[in-house]
Amino acid sequence: MRWTAPLDRREIGFILLCLGTYFVAYNIEITLQVLGIDAAATKGAVLSRLGVGSTVIGDDGRKPAGWRDSLELDIFGTWQWFRGHVAGDGTERSQLTGSGRHGAQWVALKDIEDVGGLQKPFGDSTVNDVLQNWGDDIPQTRLVNHASGYTTLDNVYLLNGSVYLVTDSGNTLPAMSTILSSTGAGFKEWQAISPQEGRTIFGKSGSTIRGVSWMHADSTPDNFTLFALWRTYSSLDTSITSSGTTSLPLPRRLIFPHNTFFTDPDPNVEAPYRKRQRFDTGFHPYTAKAAFPFLSVMYKQDWEDYHAMTVPFIFERLVIADRSAAVKAGQPAYASALSLESSTHWWEPVRKNMAQYLGEYEVKKRSKKDITYIHNQGTSGAKLSDEDHNILVKSLQNLAWKEGHEINIISTELTHTNWTTRMTGIVKSSIVLGVHGNHLLDGLFMRPSPQSTLLELFPANTFVRDRELAVRSVGLQYRALRDTRYVRHLGIVNAVVDALS
Ligand SMILES: *[C@@H]1O[C@H](CO)[C@@H](O)[C@H](O)[C@H]1NC(C)=O
Ligand SMILES: *[C@@H]1O[C@H](CO)[C@@H](O)[C@H](O)[C@H]1NC(C)=O
Ligand SMILES: CC(=O)N[C@H]1CO[C@H](CO)[C@@H](O)[C@@H]1O
């Protein structure tokens, strides 16, 4: 075989042209940049016009400016877009409560970091951090703080009907009876085991229940549950400031392991629809959602779900309140939680959340005071005679009119005064008063000031300190007025004037 004629000049020129065209086309982006065209912005679009690319979509999901047609404008509109945000004019990033067509509230993720001074609601963990592989080194249960009935523990294990505290002899936990009143029948069994036993029972790994969990371990509900749990938990940060700033991560869940969501038995699936009675947790459901917006509430069924699964679950941090374990002669049950070390401003983060939720955190008027009278008239709770009640309302209204104060008359009956009206009145008040009872506990959310006072009216032969200790522990003043006959003598109104002076 022999070569055809050597390449002539025309053929060499032709081959060089082909190679040149190939390199220019292959490196079109750089070529365009050399020619002064912003290749990154127009990438795709140019290529597709040239018939060599397939994508025409930028990072914002749109065609590059200059390549947009009317269809694109019809679909997308003229919204601006910034990385990390949905497109819009900026108002979509946050909306205060009460505004907007549906009264919905939303907050940008980066601002959630410091809602009400409570940081990192979602923590740092990712979807990949569910399983804990501990191998032979099983994490031990650690006591974080403890007073009778109020306990914080790290690494608490759940498996098949039992709760385990894993500890070697060097790590002593308080007696189980001071943590929980009931550890056996009717409630899943709780027991302390050695790391050796732990390895046998759980194996080498388990599923982590991340973040801070709260538990109301007593089988009967209590009006002080949220108060006592926050008191126990907040004692882990003794430097909470008067502006409610704390580094504590938000509690994620509150578990009622004894109680079902509904108090009546589950109806037959074919039964006609009827409204069912929800379990009384001891706090209004809105109160938990406004003051602890990241706290979900779980019931017996959820608790049983954990136990029905075949892997061990581990609470990263569990704060337990058990009123029955805390009951000590004469003292309100939550009093032992008050013995834990704390900041004097421990309640402020919670109050601030509530006040901000209601749009009443900023003090709007300095000289005028708000006074809230919470009454039980028309309900089965403790109350004044209708005549006394009417005189008191008139006298308070007179006082408010003369001194330029504002008076809120609030019924505990929710069909009469809804939750928003009630709490809005209370969070801006300097005085909250009413006949004795736990309905006055909402007074904990009143605006703190040297004058702020809860006035509780008692008949001659009754007195309990439940509200007094709670109210004083958050730095508010407290006065008990005995004998409702004082109403006619304007004793209550004088007490209001006293407190405000
Ligand atoms: C769970 O406990 C029950 C007894 O309470 C037992 O019969 C069952 O075998 C246990 N299941 C597992 C997976 O250990
Ligand atoms: C609560 O009551 C107030 C006053 O009666 C009313 O303006 C408001 O719309 C009510 N809010 C809700 C959520 O029902
Ligand atoms: C669980 C519980 O004790 N709930 C009570 C809380 O306080 C209100 C007002 O006094 C009662 O109506 C609840 O029954």
Side-chain angles (χ1 to χ4, degrees):
M1 200 169 109
R2 69 174 195 96
W3 287 97
T4 49
L7 298 174
D8 63 19
R9 203 181 292 168
R10 199 170 60 94
E11 283 164 339
I12 289 173
F14 187 67
I15 288 173
L16 286 178
L17 178 70
C18 286
L19 285 172
T21 309
Y22 170 75
F23 282 119
V24 166
Y26 195 76
N27 298 296
I28 183 82
E29 272 183 40
I30 294 161
T31 314
L32 288 173
Q33 249 163 17
V34 171
L35 295 175
I37 297 169
D38 181 356
T42 52
K43 178 187 172 189
V46 174
L47 294 180
S48 98
R49 289 291 161 111
L50 294 175
V52 289
S54 58
T55 158
V56 288
I57 305 300
D59 283 349
D60 57 355
R62 310 187 61 188
K63 293 178 186 169
W67 298 83
R68 293 171 190 164
D69 50 27
S70 59
L71 177 64
E72 159 115 6
L73 286 178
D74 272 350
I75 295 171
F76 187 89
T78 53
W79 304 111
Q80 296 225 55
W81 178 79
F82 297 96
R83 186 171 295 283
H85 291 284
V86 294
D89 59 5
T91 55
E92 76 287 344
R93 292 182 208 162
S94 66
Q95 174 168 292
L96 289 178
T97 175
S99 47
R101 185 160 155 217
H102 304 289
Q105 175 184 19
W106 57 81
V107 186
L109 188 61
K110 70 172 179 43
D111 299 331
I112 288 178
E113 291 246 341
D114 37 70
V115 168
L118 297 170
Q119 290 166 358
K120 295 217 171 158
F122 300 114
D124 288 327
S125 45
T126 70
V127 178
N128 297 325
D129 298 327
V130 171
L131 197 70
Q132 256 191 83
N133 267 311
W134 55 71
D136 285 330
D137 190 18
I138 188 165
Q140 296 204 16
T141 305
R142 192 172 76 88
L143 182 72
V144 182
N145 69 7
H146 172 70
S148 293
Y150 301 96
T151 312
T152 306
L153 295 166
D154 285 354
N155 299 327
V156 176
Y157 293 74
L158 308 181
L159 184 66
N160 193 23
S162 293
V163 180
Y164 300 92
L165 311 184
V166 177
T167 172
D168 56 30
S169 48
N171 174 4
T172 45
L173 297 175
M176 205 67 92
S177 62
T178 64
I179 301 178
L180 294 153
S181 53
S182 117
T183 57
F187 189 61
K188 302 295 179 188
E189 196 186 351
W190 288 58
Q191 49 186 301
I193 57 171
S194 69
Q196 191 96 41
E197 292 169 296
R199 276 190 291 272
T200 317
I201 299 173
F202 308 123
K204 292 179 190 292
S205 65
S207 206
T208 315
I209 305 174
R210 289 272 168 203
V212 177
S213 309
W214 287 1
M215 179 183 287
H216 175 84
D218 201 345
S219 55
T220 48
D222 179 25
N223 279 134
F224 288 88
T225 297
L226 281 184
F227 175 85
L229 280 167
W230 175 252
R231 183 64 178 73
T232 309
Y233 180 51
S234 68
S235 92
L236 303 182
D237 179 6
T238 51
S239 54
I240 298 175
T241 64
S242 59
S243 59
T245 307
T246 170
S247 54
L248 290 171
L250 281 153
R252 311 258 187 104
R253 54 194 78 78
L254 167 56
I255 305 171
F256 287 92
H258 292 281
N259 311 101
T260 51
F261 186 87
F262 293 115
T263 54
D264 51 351
D266 285 338
N268 185 321
V269 282
E270 275 108 45
Y273 173 80
R274 69 185 157 81
K275 200 161 162 57
R276 301 184 60 194
Q277 184 66 44
R278 274 170 76 168
F279 169 64
D280 175 8
T281 54
F283 50 84
H284 193 287
Y286 299 179
T287 299
K289 290 180 174 76
F292 300 99
F294 302 95
L295 187 77
S296 54
V297 183
M298 297 172 122
Y299 296 87
K300 190 176 180 203
Q301 292 94 336
D302 304 288
W303 181 243
E304 289 176 344
D305 286 346
Y306 283 122
H307 286 284
M309 295 172 74
T310 49
V311 292
F313 281 91
I314 304 117
F315 281 111
E316 202 166 39
R317 174 158 288 180
L318 182 64
V319 186
I320 306 163
D322 191 315
R323 186 176 185 282
S324 308
V327 171
K328 292 255 166 67
Q331 285 274 6
Y334 62 81
S336 79
L338 296 181
S339 70
L340 295 167
E341 195 189 1
S342 81
S343 153
T344 49
H345 306 293
W346 69 275
W347 183 246
E348 186 55 21
V350 178
R351 193 203 70 85
K352 182 179 177 182
N353 281 350
M354 176 66 82
Q356 284 181 331
Y357 172 83
L358 295 162
E360 290 292 345
Y361 183 61
E362 311 300 332
V363 180
K364 285 168 191 160
K365 44 187 170 34
R366 301 219 161 259
S367 56
K368 289 184 186 178
K369 300 284 181 199
D370 269 77
I371 300 164
T372 295
Y373 169 36
I374 310 178
H375 68 80
N376 274 327
Q377 306 307 120
T379 74
S380 57
K383 52 184 168 286
L384 300 176
S385 71
D386 282 344
E387 193 189 354
D388 285 343
H389 168 74
N390 290 335
I391 295 172
L392 179 56
V393 170
K394 278 231 168 60
S395 315
L396 288 170
Q397 280 167 340
N398 265 339
L399 172 74
W401 182 77
K402 269 199 296 205
E403 307 289 331
H405 300 319
E406 193 164 305
I407 173 95
N408 310 294
I409 312 287
I410 286 174
S411 167
T412 53
E413 202 165 4
L414 287 168
T415 48
H416 183 283
T417 312
N418 62 33
W419 179 89
T420 309
T421 308
R422 176 215 288 234
M423 295 312 295
T424 307
I426 290 172
V427 293
K428 52 186 181 169
S429 285
S430 304
I431 303 281
V432 172
L433 74 151
V435 173
H436 67 101
N438 278 346
H439 57 284
L440 295 183
L441 275 184
D442 284 338
L444 288 167
F445 290 99
M446 83 174 97
R447 178 162 288 155
S449 75
Q451 292 88 29
S452 297
T453 309
L454 180 73
L455 288 172
E456 188 167 14
L457 316 183
F458 286 97
N461 51 2
T462 308
F463 183 65
V464 290
R465 299 191 64 206
D466 292 36
R467 269 75 62 187
E468 174 174 8
L469 286 187
V471 158
R472 288 196 192 282
S473 77
V474 303
L476 299 169
Q477 308 289 320
Y478 176 88
R479 284 191 64 183
L481 300 178
R482 306 293 282 274
D483 195 343
T484 51
R485 278 177 302 132
Y486 284 134
V487 175
R488 300 201 182 161
H489 303 147
L490 295 183
I492 297 172
V493 175
N494 287 336
V496 171
V497 174
D498 268 8
L500 283 177
S501 63

